[in-house]
Amino acid sequence: MADEVKIDSQTFQTRLSTLTQAWKTDRRSNDALFGGVGSIVVLMGKNEEAASYHKNNAMHYWLLGYEFPATLMVFTADALWVVTTTKKAKHLEPLKGGKIPIEVLSRSKDSEQNAKQFEKCLEVIKSSGKKVGILAKDTATGPFAEEWKKAYGGVAKEMEEVDISPALSIAALAVKDETELRNMRDSARASTGIMTEFFVEEMSEVLDEEKKVTHKQLSDKIDQKLDDQKFFQNLKSKLAADFDSQQLDWIYGPVVQSGGSYDLKLTAQSDENNLHAGTIIAGLGLRYKSYSSMVARTYLVDPNDAQESNYKLLLSVHEAIIKGAREGVVIKDLYNKAISVIKSSKKSELEKHFVKTVGGGIGLETKDIVLAINAKNTRVLKDGMTLYISTGFTDIENRQPQDKKGKMYSLLVTDTIRIRRDQDPAVFTNGAASDTGSVCFFFKDEEEEAQPKKQSKKDPKVGAVAASNITKTKLRAERPGQVDEGAEARRREHQKELAQRKQQEGLATYSEAVGDENGVAQKKFKKFESYKRDNQFPSKVKDLAVVVDEKASTIVLPIMGRPVPFHIQTVKNASKTDEGEFAFLRINFLSPGQGVGRKDDQPFEDPTAHFVRSLTFRSRDVERMESIAEQITNLRKNAVRREQEKKELEDVVEQDKLTEVRNRKPQRLENVFVRPAMDGKRITGEVEIHQNGLRYIDHRGSKIDVLFSNVKHLFFQPCTHELIVVIHVHLKNPIMIGKKKAKDVQFYREATDMQFDETGNRKRKHRYGDEEEFEQEQEERRRRAQLDKVFKRFAEEVQQAARDEGWGVDIPFRELGFNGVPNRSNVFMQPTADCLVQLTEPPFTVLTLDEIEVAHLERVQFGLKNFDMVFVFKDFHRPPVHINTIPMESVEPVKEWLDSINIAYSEGPVNLNWSTIMKTITADPHQFFADGGWSFLAAESDDDDADEEDEESAFEISGSDLAASDESSDDESDFDDDASADEGSAASDESAGEDWDELEKKAKKKDRETGLEEEDSGGRKRKR
């Protein structure tokens, strides 16, 4: 035994206590697990090289971290007796002194003394009770083992032997602690790395170049990769920083099978047959620091529809078992669930081909049969258990074989998982993709060439003009985009209910007259202090000159022979003028009633007091006066800038510190960009998931931390119909990124960026023309689907890490989207389950639906191509959000969407002055709801409908009112004038010389003269 051996005393005592505590607990509950044994014997013989561990090996590694050959352990519920050689005993001595007593007996060359040690152990066994726990499948050999078996044989007749293997599995080995789980994760990542980044590439090269390579040769190549340290250093699947590839060893395979001959057992071996381009099954398992994992995948080369369908069924069965594996589940229920999935499918005949056991326990032992997943096992799963799930169909007949070797095939998928409490298990081997897009390979040209010939019948969806785009009428009014009267009536009824509910809620919330005076929160009087003591004045004030003290943000002016300080916040501006040989410095101060802008206005403690409006100083030193004026101007600018920055950063909160993952490498998403970009530079980096938040690190080492507690919404937007795939984080409070605050942080990758090549650079036969273009399109679709999968999985991992925060991953519904202008550019708005978002083009838009009070549709009238939508928030102090220039074709879908999410909406023909409206509401919300609340918007909608029914309505909007409305809209609304400039041009083009209102008046006058007004006023309606 080498001197490097160091046994973790704390781990030893903890695990030994766990075993004895479970033993004692079982005694109090009718000995269901341990069978009432009083002692347990674990014997280890001479050291043997074995691919898998047995229970005795596993117990040594579990307790000591090492295997001690020629060692006997006798356990009782209160103590542990160990008989071993003198060298090994030295390593066990430090374990003494713990909660459970340990007696170490050192063997020597004296045979009599050695015999007495065995006799002492036998006395302990006999004194502990008639029942003794042994390992039924005892594989110990060697002189030490034979000597103990001979000594034990003398008392064996007096004792009742009980197989203790199940008890040791359940009480000791099955449930893993964090250290064990970390070793298993590293083992699984190494396994999936070899599978995905070496085997798949080797297999593709063999098939591409049609090489003759046997299964055994391919397995040997994989086997040799275990000694390649550089390979593990460059693995894309992240390994722990302290990962040591020297501690890896094979437990299963590597096994490669193809060509109709398959063995799905763990004892399978690769044969000397050549790799066949059909159904290829590859499996391997690694042990790292004594803990095992395994993974197996089936790769289908040019599969037919039946093979793909059968594989999809196997995947659904596999996923059903994994999702059902939770704490408290009986093992046999997992197998029965798999059978039920097969029976309920359209391929129930595959039940007879399904494997009889779909997995078992894994860890120190490669296959723990105590946790075998079959139809009879009644064990219950617990949090922390690790299993391998191996589902498969054996010997399925292929009715459309490519050749003789393809007549029979089998399917197998194996993963290593960890059971968790109240959630889906963690799949350690998910780095090896098993979906059809990842395991199906298409190499043949014949099918691609024959495909166009099958389309002899003209496809109406193909051509320069799709059939669906050809309308049967030239009239827009007769096209299917018209209003569904039934749906409209249903919406009206529902909206009336919502409006009544809003009114009642408003009256209940604002039961008393509360609000802001004049609709504006009263500003507080600010006091500015330049100096606390006289000795803080600058030394230059002794000269009774004008002094600009930038440090104190103060101007010291000589008045009546005394230096008087004025804080820069009291100064409005300063100017210098020249008259003859004198220069005049005029300093204007802020005072009430000056007519300054609303933004610059500020309250005064006593507006009736006397104020100094301005001071003028004369000097012959022109340059000095000019310098002082410039200093005052710059000081004022800096003060204003600081105030603006302070106001802008008022809602920025300082986040708690990010708690980094220390005991393992964090989950990462690599090669992503961030928006807003740090320092304005577009540089790739990676996102990491830590204990309480996310961290983005670029290649320069710059970091952005986002805590889960500050996340309001998390979005995943796939790259379908987009150029980028996005994970978007909307925050509760803004954070600082560089020198700017940000309430939205977005991680994205360009779907069309070729620098991220995920095809593996596989070689392909050279093709020309349409076939090559078709393959490129297929590859583009596959790569986009893979990107979506990677980002979605990472978003789900973020949700899992922040499961206590109460938010999840939200995905936009593109089919409900519509175009609009929320800021300056026309973008595609998309609803989600909780929000209305635009995540493609900054500035981003995220509106939380629960925070919306009402929605109002503006400019909804006949003849216009676009309309606007305004969202008013429940927080009336928050300015409404405008989405302008929405195509009129979207008005009905938008109404239907608003109605479906229970948002009260109204519509009107013109833009409203929302600044004035909100000021009125905030002045006295109680009075607003007492006067009818939002009913004034609905009244406007009803008036609009009445105008349509009766052309000569009493309501007429004058030219001055219309101009005032337009002016108020331009001043107070966020609407972009340029965005819908085409609306106004349509009317003006029709009449180049006269105004529209003048033409309207002339038409009315002509109607009155001809008598048409009386005839038409009754029943004519205007079409919408």
Side-chain angles (χ1 to χ4, degrees):
M1 187 67 61
D3 294 335
E4 299 174 357
V5 174
K6 291 183 180 179
I7 301 174
D8 190 332
S9 178
Q10 184 177 355
T11 301
F12 173 81
Q13 287 292 342
T14 300
R15 293 181 178 178
L16 183 59
S17 298
T18 300
L19 175 62
T20 56
Q21 187 63 38
W23 193 353
K24 293 176 181 178
T25 302
D26 187 61
R27 281 183 175 179
R28 295 191 292 268
S29 57
N30 302 323
D31 296 320
L33 184 60
F34 284 81
V37 299
S39 58
I40 298 173
V41 176
V42 176
L43 175 63
M44 179 67 71
K46 68 178 182 180
N47 193 6
E48 294 181 352
E49 292 292 334
S52 61
Y53 292 155
H54 299 285
K55 279 290 186 296
N56 50 2
N57 308 78
M59 286 300 296
H60 274 243
Y61 278 108
W62 185 66
L63 285 172
L64 306 173
Y66 301 91
E67 181 182 286
F68 279 29
T71 300
L72 172 69
M73 290 184 176
V74 177
F75 297 84
T76 67
D78 302 309
L80 170 62
W81 299 74
V82 182
V83 180
T84 187
T85 62
T86 304
K87 288 184 179 180
K88 300 187 188 75
K90 291 180 181 178
H91 299 294
L92 298 176
E93 287 296 331
L95 304 179
K96 292 183 176 181
K99 184 178 178 181
I100 299 175
I102 302 173
E103 185 71 27
V104 180
L105 304 177
S106 301
R107 289 174 63 82
S108 63
K109 296 181 179 180
D110 188 348
S111 58
E112 292 184 3
Q113 184 180 352
N114 294 342
K116 289 180 180 179
Q117 291 174 351
F118 281 153
E119 289 178 5
K120 195 170 186 178
C121 292
L122 293 173
E123 290 177 3
V124 172
I125 293 173
K126 288 189 288 184
S127 62
S128 300
K130 290 290 184 181
K131 291 185 177 181
V132 58
I134 64 166
L135 300 176
K137 296 181 179 180
D138 187 3
T139 59
T141 58
F144 178 84
E146 295 300 328
E147 188 177 344
W148 163 253
K149 290 178 181 179
K150 183 178 179 181
Y152 174 74
V155 299
K157 297 179 181 179
E158 305 173 16
M159 308 300 298
E160 181 182 346
E161 296 180 348
V162 177
D163 184 9
I164 205 65
S165 299
L168 294 181
S169 289
I170 301 300
L173 304 176
V175 178
K176 313 295 189 298
D177 59 28
E178 186 56 37
T179 302
E180 296 174 291
L181 292 172
R182 183 165 58 249
N183 291 336
M184 290 197 66
R185 278 193 292 268
D186 286 339
S187 170
R189 287 168 181 169
S191 299
T192 55
I194 291 178
M195 176 69 77
T196 58
E197 299 186 31
F198 181 74
F199 170 73
V200 173
E201 300 304 321
E202 287 292 320
M203 177 189 70
S204 300
E205 184 177 348
V206 170
L207 297 175
D208 269 341
E209 301 179 6
E210 299 181 357
K211 294 180 180 179
K212 300 296 182 182
V213 178
T214 67
H215 299 144
K216 186 71 167 60
Q217 290 172 337
L218 196 52
S219 297
D220 291 342
K221 273 191 174 183
I222 302 172
D223 190 1
Q224 294 168 7
K225 209 66 184 173
L226 205 62
D227 299 324
D228 187 354
Q229 296 186 25
K230 290 185 179 179
F231 172 79
F232 291 101
Q233 291 172 0
N234 298 327
L235 263 184
K236 293 178 183 176
S237 54
K238 296 300 180 183
L239 299 170
D242 58 349
F243 183 82
D244 182 9
S245 61
Q246 296 295 320
Q247 299 197 50
L248 286 172
D249 196 8
W250 293 108
I251 59 157
Y252 162 48
V255 181
V256 182
Q257 305 175 75
S258 67
S261 177
Y262 304 96
D263 182 1
L264 304 189
K265 297 178 181 178
L266 295 181
T267 56
Q269 298 290 329
S270 299
D271 56 30
E272 295 293 343
N273 294 325
N274 289 333
L275 186 69
H276 175 256
T279 302
I280 302 172
I281 295 179
L284 57 90
L286 288 174
R287 177 191 296 134
Y288 179 70
K289 293 184 178 179
S290 306
Y291 287 87
S292 308
S293 69
M294 64 177 71
V295 60
R297 294 290 183 263
T298 301
Y299 296 96
L300 304 173
V301 181
D302 296 317
N304 54 46
D305 292 342
Q307 287 177 307
E308 280 197 66
S309 178
N310 291 340
Y311 182 77
K312 288 179 180 178
L313 174 60
L314 180 66
L315 275 187
S316 64
V317 173
H318 190 75
E319 291 172 0
I321 295 175
I322 291 178
K323 288 184 177 180
R326 297 192 176 198
E327 185 179 40
V329 174
V330 180
I331 289 179
K332 68 177 183 180
D333 293 343
L334 293 179
Y335 188 86
N336 294 333
K337 187 173 186 178
I339 296 297
S340 66
V341 171
I342 298 173
K343 288 182 176 179
S344 61
S345 69
K346 296 180 181 179
K347 298 179 177 291
S348 56
E349 69 277 4
L350 290 178
E351 181 185 353
K352 61 183 178 181
H353 298 280
F354 192 61
V355 293
K356 301 303 179 184
T357 301
V358 293
I362 191 172
L364 287 168
E365 294 180 277
T366 303
K367 179 181 178 181
D368 190 348
I369 59 174
V370 175
L371 297 177
I373 305 175
N374 52 39
K376 299 179 180 179
N377 196 336
T378 58
R379 305 279 180 195
V380 178
L381 297 179
K382 296 180 181 179
D383 180 27
M385 286 184 173
T386 51
L387 309 172
Y388 73 93
I389 307 297
S390 185
T391 54
F393 292 123
T394 61
D395 299 331
I396 305 174
E397 182 181 356
N398 186 4
R399 298 181 181 179
Q400 297 176 336
Q402 302 173 10
D403 48 38
K404 293 181 180 180
K405 292 185 176 182
K407 291 182 178 180
M408 300 292 290
Y409 68 96
S410 298
L411 303 172
L412 177 68
V413 178
T414 302
D415 281 302
T416 304
I417 68 171
R418 175 246 168 130
I419 306 300
R420 295 191 288 193
R421 183 181 289 111
D422 299 328
Q423 55 183 314
D424 291 344
V427 183
F428 289 157
T429 51
N430 58 3
S434 57
D435 58 286
T436 53
S438 300
V439 303
C440 293
F441 296 84
F442 297 91
F443 292 92
K444 287 195 173 182
D445 298 337
E446 289 77 13
E447 290 185 6
E448 296 175 1
E449 294 172 357
Q451 190 173 0
K453 298 179 182 179
K454 294 181 182 178
Q455 297 181 353
S456 57
K457 186 178 178 180
K458 181 69 176 178
D459 190 346
K461 296 182 180 180
V462 178
V465 180
S468 60
N469 292 335
I470 301 176
T471 58
K472 297 181 180 180
T473 175
K474 296 181 180 179
L475 302 178
R476 283 183 294 175
E478 298 176 9
R479 293 181 188 173
Q482 293 300 298
V483 178
D484 185 344
E485 296 296 339
E488 179 68 20
R490 175 181 54 78
R491 285 202 302 265
R492 283 182 178 272
E493 288 299 319
H494 187 219
Q495 285 299 312
K496 286 181 180 179
E497 295 176 5
L498 291 176
Q500 292 175 0
R501 192 186 309 165
K502 287 291 178 187
Q503 177 69 8
Q504 293 171 0
E505 290 176 357
L507 290 172
T509 304
Y510 303 100
S511 57
E512 298 178 0
V514 293
D516 302 327
E517 186 178 346
N518 297 326
V520 179
Q522 294 301 299
K523 297 181 179 179
K524 295 181 180 179
F525 173 72
K526 295 181 180 179
K527 291 185 178 182
F528 302 101
E529 189 174 40
S530 298
Y531 307 107
K532 292 184 178 180
R533 294 179 298 275
D534 292 344
N535 59 5
Q536 292 179 337
F537 276 85
S539 58
K540 295 181 181 179
V541 300
K542 296 178 182 179
D543 302 331
L544 291 179
V546 178
V547 178
V548 180
D549 187 359
E550 294 184 4
K551 186 177 181 182
S553 298
T554 299
I555 306 169
V556 183
L557 303 176
I559 301 177
M560 304 296 290
R562 301 180 65 88
V564 181
F566 291 87
H567 197 278
I568 193 62
Q569 294 289 359
T570 65
V571 176
K572 184 180 179 183
N573 54 40
S575 61
K576 192 244 356 172
T577 57
D578 297 330
E579 291 184 13
E581 60 181 355
F582 293 101
F584 290 86
L585 174 66
R586 182 182 177 90
I587 302 175
N588 297 317
F589 297 94
L590 294 172
S591 60
Q594 279 189 304
V596 294
R598 288 176 299 174
K599 294 181 179 179
D600 298 327
D601 199 7
Q602 58 177 310
F604 293 88
E605 192 171 23
D606 182 10
T608 62
H610 294 283
F611 290 85
V612 178
R613 284 284 182 92
S614 64
L615 292 173
T616 304
F617 297 88
R618 187 182 68 174
S619 174
R620 286 190 173 90
D621 193 344
V622 178
E623 292 183 359
R624 173 168 166 74
M625 288 292 104
E626 187 173 356
S627 174
I628 291 174
E630 185 178 354
Q631 289 179 37
I632 294 174
T633 302
N634 293 336
L635 193 62
R636 176 64 182 164
K637 287 180 180 178
N638 293 336
V640 171
R641 189 187 71 251
R642 285 196 300 269
E643 282 293 315
Q644 289 177 345
E645 291 176 353
K646 184 178 178 181
K647 187 176 181 180
E648 185 180 353
L649 300 179
E650 280 179 350
D651 53 350
V652 176
V653 297
E654 186 175 351
Q655 297 186 114
D656 295 334
K657 289 186 178 180
L658 186 76
T659 305
E660 298 184 28
V661 174
R662 296 293 185 186
N663 53 1
R664 58 178 173 82
K665 270 202 172 183
Q667 294 169 305
R668 286 190 176 96
L669 182 63
E670 295 184 320
N671 296 326
V672 295
F673 298 100
V674 66
R675 292 196 290 196
M678 291 185 286
D679 301 328
K681 296 179 180 178
R682 186 171 173 270
I683 301 176
T684 59
E686 57 184 23
V687 189
E688 300 176 344
I689 303 176
H690 290 276
Q691 292 186 16
N692 64 336
L694 300 175
R695 168 168 287 174
Y696 174 84
I697 308 176
D698 65 15
H699 296 163
R700 300 170 303 176
S702 302
K703 298 177 182 178
I704 298 177
D705 291 343
V706 178
L707 298 189
F708 294 143
S709 58
N710 193 30
V711 175
K712 189 174 184 180
H713 298 292
L714 176 67
F715 302 100
F716 161 69
Q717 179 175 288
C719 56
T720 308
H721 306 292
E722 300 286 354
L723 296 178
I724 57 175
V725 56
V726 167
I727 291 177
H728 187 97
V729 182
H730 183 65
L731 305 176
K732 297 176 184 176
N733 299 298
I735 61 174
M736 294 301 296
I737 298 181
K739 296 181 180 179
K740 296 182 179 180
K741 72 172 185 178
K743 202 170 183 179
D744 293 272
V745 182
Q746 184 178 103
F747 309 108
Y748 71 98
R749 187 187 295 178
E750 294 180 357
T752 56
D753 196 342
M754 296 306 294
Q755 64 176 309
F756 306 121
D757 183 15
E758 299 179 5
T759 63
N761 295 323
R762 298 173 189 162
K763 298 179 181 178
R764 291 285 185 270
K765 295 179 181 178
H766 194 67
R767 299 182 175 90
Y768 299 92
D770 294 340
E771 289 82 4
E772 184 177 3
E773 184 177 349
F774 177 70
E775 182 176 326
Q776 289 176 352
E777 292 176 358
Q778 275 193 327
E779 183 62 30
E780 174 73 11
R781 285 195 294 269
R782 187 204 69 79
R783 198 161 58 83
R784 282 175 171 264
Q786 181 65 18
L787 265 180
D788 288 344
K789 181 180 177 182
V790 170
F791 271 67
K792 185 178 181 182
R793 183 192 303 141
F794 188 80
E796 291 171 348
E797 289 171 349
V798 174
Q799 175 186 346
Q800 179 62 34
R803 54 186 176 275
D804 297 333
E805 297 297 332
W807 46 261
V809 181
D810 214 353
I811 302 177
F813 301 114
R814 189 174 182 86
E815 60 274 12
L816 299 178
F818 54 89
N819 286 92
V821 183
N823 291 291
R824 283 287 176 185
S825 57
N826 197 312
V827 293
F828 192 66
M829 306 293 299
Q830 300 180 78
T832 70
D834 301 319
C835 301
L836 176 65
V837 301
Q838 184 279 120
L839 308 176
T840 305
E841 182 179 332
F844 308 113
T845 302
V846 179
L847 301 179
T848 305
L849 301 178
D850 288 341
E851 297 175 356
I852 295 174
E853 175 79 2
V854 294
H856 182 64
L857 312 183
E858 299 179 329
R859 299 193 303 118
V860 180
Q861 54 179 306
F862 179 76
L864 293 185
K865 298 178 182 178
N866 301 316
F867 69 97
D868 305 330
M869 181 162 53
V870 181
F871 289 107
V872 181
F873 296 98
K874 294 177 181 177
D875 178 7
F876 295 146
H877 291 89
R878 186 175 170 186
V881 170
H882 298 248
I883 301 177
N884 302 320
T885 322
I886 305 174
M888 195 60 73
E889 290 78 12
S890 301
V891 67
E892 291 302 317
V894 166
K895 288 180 181 178
E896 186 64 32
W897 168 66
L898 291 172
D899 189 69
S900 66
I901 57 177
N902 294 329
I903 289 183
Y905 70 85
S906 55
E907 59 182 90
V910 295
N911 294 105
L912 302 178
N913 190 334
W914 285 100
S915 176
T916 304
I917 292 173
M918 298 311 297
K919 192 177 292 187
T920 304
I921 296 173
T922 53
D924 192 349
H926 170 74
Q927 189 61 41
F928 170 73
F929 284 103
D931 293 340
W934 301 108
S935 59
F936 79 96
L937 295 175
E940 183 185 358
S941 300
D942 295 339
D943 291 343
D944 186 28
D945 295 337
D947 291 344
E948 293 175 1
E949 295 177 2
D950 186 356
E951 271 194 344
E952 295 303 320
S953 171
F955 173 78
E956 290 184 342
I957 183 166
S958 66
S960 59
D961 292 338
L962 181 61
S965 174
D966 291 342
E967 183 181 354
S968 66
S969 173
D970 292 340
D971 291 342
E972 303 297 337
S973 172
D974 292 332
F975 174 66
D976 184 5
D977 296 331
D978 299 332
S980 58
D982 58 334
E983 316 303 345
S985 62
S988 61
D989 291 340
E990 294 180 7
S991 175
E994 294 180 311
D995 184 66
W996 177 265
D997 294 327
E998 294 176 1
L999 291 172
E1000 186 73 20
K1001 291 177 181 177
K1002 286 184 179 181
K1004 289 180 181 178
K1005 183 177 180 181
K1006 188 175 181 180
D1007 289 343
R1008 281 194 292 271
E1009 291 174 354
T1010 57
L1012 291 174
E1013 183 179 4
E1014 288 79 4
E1015 295 177 9
D1016 295 345
S1017 60
R1020 192 170 61 179
K1021 296 183 179 179
R1022 184 183 300 173
K1023 290 184 180 180
R1024 293 190 65 177

